[in-house]
Amino acid sequence: MADKEGLKVAKDYHTDVAFANDSGFYVKGAGHLDWGMKRHLSNIFDPKSGNTVMFAFDHGYFMGSTAGLERLDLVIPPLMEHVDVLMGTRGALRTCITPANKKGIALRCSAGSSMIDDDLSHEVIAVDIADAIRMNADCMAIQTFIGAEGEKDSLDNLCKTIDAGMKYSIPTMGVVAVGKQMERTPRFFKLATRILAELGANIIKTYYCDEFEEIVAACPVPIVVAGGKKLPEDEALTMAYRSIQGGARGLDMGRNIFQSNHPVAMAKAIRMIVHEKATDKEAFEFYTGEINK
Ligand code: 5RP
């Protein structure tokens, strides 16, 4: 292991230069993966835009019934046609979502904490590869806690899931959580996203931040941006727009859809940004028009 002495600050990201090793497949860093992995990735990232709208409703795995998700069975079905991927727990999917759907499945596969805990960083692998296969998951989502007490165990969960995923051709999505000790800074996100990609994650989910283009440039797999806490719709659409402009290959929105007063209109507006090159202003104009119909 290289020592930490004399570390130079990384600075040459060449953000204006496209990813060099994009031979063989349109998903970043997936060129040398097996056919099955590419098939799953094509269920997540639209082959035309290369992007994805993930609808996240996995909050219950540690938050219980979350505002806006009190009734999974009522909230999710009307949104399905407007999103590309369902990001949920196996419990939510099996009980509330018809298997007769053509959406990609991002399966929440880590768990182990609850909102009661002060430190959420202690998780385990909560879904084994056999059940991920049964669920026909297109990726397995594992939370990682760089800089938190549970850092090592969370990275161990990620690596074990990647190993199983490589064996049975199911991609792994490394999810960057912001440990209590860590700040939502570009430096932290550059560190966390790159570690997850180096460990073999096929997709990284993180948050939008300053210097986002550099984070994307330094990450050899696609980055999907989590929406985070509920924002006013125009601000959420601006964050979505800046993420895509900055090189994110999609959004993984939860609260900014299901806590919106008009979730379907919001999902449609996000889709415009992700797949139709709309600006945030155009998307917000659409949203406003939809809700005032
Ligand atoms: C919850 C998650 C969510 O999938 C992720 O945070 C996206 O949801 P939101 O947009 O509400 O943040 O990991 O634990």
Side-chain angles (χ1 to χ4, degrees):
M1 171 188 273
D3 60 53
K4 293 201 295 185
E5 291 308 309
L7 273 183
K8 291 195 175 194
V9 175
K11 58 181 175 44
D12 298 335
Y13 292 94
H14 306 288
T15 53
D16 56 339
V17 180
F19 183 63
N21 183 22
D22 57 358
S23 62
F25 198 59
Y26 69 96
V27 176
K28 191 175 186 181
H32 306 302
L33 294 180
D34 164 74
W35 189 92
M37 292 286 265
K38 290 174 179 176
R39 178 84 172 80
H40 282 305
L41 290 169
S42 73
N43 289 340
I44 294 171
F45 297 101
D46 180 276
K48 286 197 264 335
S49 69
N51 294 341
T52 187
V53 176
M54 279 187 186
F55 173 46
F57 51 89
D58 59 323
H59 304 63
Y61 93 95
F62 78 101
M63 294 172 87
S65 61
T66 316
L69 280 184
E70 294 85 348
R71 288 288 302 274
L72 295 165
D73 57 319
L74 301 180
V75 170
I76 299 162
L79 287 162
M80 286 173 64
E81 65 179 286
H82 306 294
V83 302
D84 304 305
V85 176
L86 304 176
M87 172 150 187
T89 61
R90 59 180 170 182
L93 290 164
R94 281 201 168 104
T95 56
C96 300
I97 306 300
T98 171
N101 75 75
K102 303 294 180 208
K103 300 302 167 183
I105 299 296
L107 187 63
R108 162 60 63 177
C109 290
S110 67
S113 302
S114 80
M115 286 301 275
I116 299 170
D117 299 325
D118 186 35
D119 179 350
L120 295 172
S121 71
H122 301 287
E123 291 198 350
V124 296
I125 297 171
V127 180
D128 69 3
I129 190 72
D131 212 33
I133 292 168
R134 282 185 214 104
M135 295 294 291
N136 202 17
D138 290 298
C139 73
M140 298 176 285
I142 298 288
Q143 207 83 2
T144 61
F145 299 86
I146 303 292
E149 226 177 75
E151 173 182 277
K152 173 178 158 291
D153 289 346
S154 71
L155 293 177
D156 187 43
N157 296 339
L158 179 76
C159 293
K160 285 191 169 76
T161 301
I162 291 166
D163 288 341
M166 291 304 284
K167 187 174 178 184
Y168 293 100
S169 275
I170 299 183
T172 298
M173 179 162 74
V175 181
V176 173
V178 185
K180 264 192 334 188
Q181 298 85 327
M182 304 314 288
E183 302 275 310
R184 287 183 176 219
T185 61
R187 182 166 174 269
F188 169 74
F189 287 125
K190 282 176 187 171
L191 174 73
T193 51
R194 180 62 172 264
I195 288 174
L196 270 56
E198 297 261 11
L199 294 179
N202 308 105
I203 308 167
I204 308 295
K205 180 165 71 153
T206 186
Y207 294 93
Y208 181 77
C209 65
D210 293 341
E211 301 172 29
F212 187 71
E213 293 82 355
E214 293 183 354
I215 292 167
V216 169
C219 184
V221 295
I223 284 183
V224 173
V225 169
K229 67 180 186 333
K230 176 71 177 72
L231 298 169
E233 278 74 5
D234 59 342
E235 291 178 27
L237 292 171
T238 297
M239 184 266 289
Y241 177 67
R242 287 179 180 161
S243 300
I244 297 296
Q245 290 300 104
R249 300 312 306 193
L251 276 295
D252 175 56
M253 286 271 193
R255 286 161 288 178
N256 279 289
I257 291 178
F258 62 72
Q259 290 179 352
S260 168
N261 291 329
H262 306 278
V264 169
M266 191 59 183
K268 287 178 173 179
I270 289 163
R271 187 169 196 82
M272 286 174 67
I273 293 170
V274 171
H275 291 304
E276 299 161 26
K277 300 189 192 316
T279 66
D280 48 345
K281 296 200 178 13
E282 289 164 343
F284 186 61
E285 257 168 47
F286 167 84
Y287 171 80
T288 310
E290 282 286 289
I291 67 175
N292 291 312
K293 264 181 183 167

